[in-house]
Amino acid sequence: MTVLFVGLFIFAFVGYFVIKKRREHINYFEGLGNITLRGFIPFYTRGDLKEKDVSLSIKESRAGRYIKLEKDIKQRAFLRIKRRDLFDRILMQETYKGLSVEYEDEAWANRLFSHRDFDGVVEEIFYNLGAYSLEIRGGKVSISFSFKKSPFEVEKERVLGATQVIKELINLINKLPEPNHYKDNLRSLLTLKLPIAITVLLSLIGIVGGFYKYDTLCHIEIFILGSKLLFPIALLYVGISTLLVGGKSLVQRVILKTAFVCFVCSFFISLFFLTYINGRFDTSEPQRKEDRIRSVYWHVKYGPKLLLDGLHSEKRWCDSFNISEDFYERAEPGDKVEYYTKRGFLGVEWLYRGIRLIKDRQAS
């Protein structure tokens, strides 16, 4: 009953907070003029400012809180200018007027930078209106304002002023020739979507195949093996992705993002897929092993645990074993136990038959 009450309380609190945020977003929109709401996802509200022919959105997430103005353009290009932060300085990100800049087509970007009116537009957006970023991506151009807690921290005059500047910027962009190439969709595919899709597929194979039946004796060993097998593949993949979709100002972002995604994916591939392969295709004979109990204890979070004298002295990096409450009550330090292992198709020893007290076997 207590668990149900706590669950209902948490649900009611979250619901109240979501509704409160929605009302806050709507109130902010209404202060800008005639807004047509297009939808609401928790902490993300979209609408159209009809008088200015501009789309607006408010998004609040762990990545940040932003008010974004967006408008369609005829050209498909990629350019991002934003306020410089510590991360940009560490990576020595290219700059334009003291701001961090990323672009794809260098010739197209240079034409834009050299236009006599572009300096004034950037000055107005960042230094007069105090925007956080300017982005041209695909067939859209957007200006974003950041806030800490409430969108009302961004004065409405700044947002309305940006609706006029964004039109001037579009007129300027339309005077330029089309970029020679646009690879943002391919970049998104290679740096994020493809690695995740491959990881999900391989993980599903392991889950459906029953990876849990081939539990490794020392869990860390399957991750060490995974890092050895997958690191060269990931390194090659990062290199190919950088060559295909990187650029003069995008190399750092492509390398770091792809490497981080591959690192995270390697954990799941090792846990589900490699564990399954290691046990499923293992043709070695089971080996019986004896050991003595070093200690049995109750972990606050994971319940009863077991440490073996021989195994955990030889391999200090091995996890303790999960045991049943019945085993916990009957086992004592110094008791002999037996268990069976197999060598593993990939060379990682796994538990073929669980730990059993020898005195139980003798009694039976």
Side-chain angles (χ1 to χ4, degrees):
M1 193 67 179
T2 304
V3 175
L4 178 61
F5 176 77
V6 172
L8 290 174
F9 175 79
I10 293 174
F11 179 79
F13 177 78
V14 172
Y16 167 77
F17 191 67
V18 169
I19 292 172
K20 180 182 176 182
K21 278 296 177 184
R22 173 175 170 79
R23 173 46 56 188
E24 184 179 52
H25 293 181
I26 292 174
N27 288 341
Y28 186 85
F29 277 169
E30 288 175 346
L32 294 172
N34 186 11
I35 291 280
T36 301
L37 293 177
R38 287 195 291 149
F40 174 79
I41 301 172
F43 311 110
Y44 179 59
T45 308
R46 296 180 301 159
D48 294 321
L49 185 58
K50 289 187 176 180
E51 299 170 357
K52 305 294 183 180
D53 192 26
V54 173
S55 296
L56 287 170
S57 64
I58 300 177
K59 183 177 181 180
E60 301 186 45
S61 67
R62 289 185 178 181
R65 295 176 169 88
Y66 301 100
I67 300 171
K68 179 190 262 189
L69 294 83
E70 196 171 62
K71 191 171 175 62
D72 293 335
I73 57 174
K74 297 177 182 179
Q75 298 194 27
R76 291 174 60 82
F78 177 81
L79 172 74
R80 180 190 290 122
I81 302 175
K82 69 182 185 69
R83 294 192 176 276
R84 195 166 176 80
D85 55 28
L86 178 61
F87 194 65
D88 294 327
R89 291 186 176 91
I90 292 173
L91 294 179
M92 295 181 289
Q93 184 66 46
E94 188 173 339
T95 61
Y96 174 78
K97 287 189 162 299
L99 304 162
S100 292
V101 61
E102 294 177 329
Y103 49 81
E104 191 170 66
D105 189 324
E106 185 176 1
W108 183 87
N110 287 334
R111 289 193 191 97
L112 183 62
F113 295 155
S114 61
H115 197 285
R116 63 180 182 276
D117 296 328
F118 187 68
D119 284 356
V121 170
V122 172
E123 185 82 21
E124 180 69 18
I125 291 173
F126 288 96
Y127 297 107
N128 293 340
L129 298 176
Y132 172 77
S133 69
L134 162 65
E135 185 174 88
I136 301 168
R137 172 172 284 187
K140 296 182 181 294
V141 59
S142 64
I143 298 174
S144 297
F145 296 87
S146 65
F147 59 91
K148 293 181 179 180
K149 293 183 178 180
S150 169
F152 286 94
E153 295 170 18
V154 181
E155 295 86 352
K156 295 168 187 177
E157 291 76 18
R158 292 163 60 192
V159 176
L160 293 173
T163 61
Q164 183 60 39
V165 177
I166 204 170
K167 293 179 181 178
E168 296 175 12
L169 178 60
I170 291 174
N171 291 334
L172 191 156
I173 294 172
N174 288 337
K175 296 176 182 178
L176 299 177
E178 289 279 345
N180 294 324
H181 53 267
Y182 176 73
K183 298 180 180 179
D184 191 56
N185 294 333
L186 179 60
R187 182 163 46 252
S188 177
L189 175 67
L190 292 178
T191 60
L192 183 65
K193 295 176 183 178
L194 185 58
I196 290 178
I198 293 172
T199 301
V200 169
L201 176 62
L202 294 180
S203 297
L204 284 175
I205 292 173
I207 292 170
V208 173
F211 78 100
Y212 48 85
K213 295 184 292 186
Y214 313 108
D215 193 22
T216 53
L217 195 63
C218 297
H219 294 149
I220 195 172
E221 290 182 349
I222 197 69
F223 296 112
I224 293 173
L225 174 70
S227 65
K228 291 179 180 178
L229 292 177
L230 299 175
F231 178 76
I233 299 173
L235 191 63
L236 178 63
Y237 183 82
V238 170
I240 293 173
S241 299
T242 304
L243 288 174
L244 290 176
V245 297
K248 181 182 177 182
S249 66
L250 290 169
V251 171
Q252 300 98 318
R253 184 162 69 94
V254 170
I255 291 176
L256 284 178
K257 182 179 179 181
T258 311
F260 176 76
V261 171
C262 289
F263 172 76
V264 173
C265 289
S266 68
F267 172 84
F268 295 99
I269 293 174
S270 299
L271 176 62
F272 298 117
F273 183 69
L274 294 185
T275 299
Y276 167 69
I277 295 297
N278 183 65
R280 176 64 179 82
F281 297 101
D282 185 7
T283 57
S284 65
E285 292 296 323
Q287 295 181 346
R288 179 179 178 274
K289 295 190 175 183
E290 285 190 11
D291 209 333
R292 288 187 181 275
I293 295 176
R294 177 192 295 178
S295 65
V296 286
Y297 62 96
W298 192 280
H299 194 283
V300 175
K301 187 175 181 180
Y302 300 108
K305 291 280 191 175
L306 169 71
L307 284 174
L308 298 179
D309 192 44
L311 175 67
H312 290 99
S313 295
E314 180 185 351
K315 298 182 177 181
R316 298 177 183 274
W317 56 87
C318 288
D319 296 333
S320 54
F321 293 103
N322 294 319
I323 55 175
S324 65
E325 291 188 27
D326 180 63
F327 192 105
Y328 172 78
E329 292 173 356
R330 290 183 292 106
E332 296 178 0
D335 284 350
K336 277 190 174 184
V337 296
E338 66 175 3
Y339 57 95
Y340 288 80
T341 65
K342 296 186 76 173
R343 187 172 62 249
F345 177 72
L346 298 175
V348 178
E349 195 174 17
W350 59 281
L351 201 59
Y352 179 73
R353 190 178 300 168
I355 296 174
R356 181 182 180 186
L357 285 167
I358 290 181
K359 62 183 181 182
D360 290 346
R361 177 172 59 81
Q362 292 174 344
S364 61

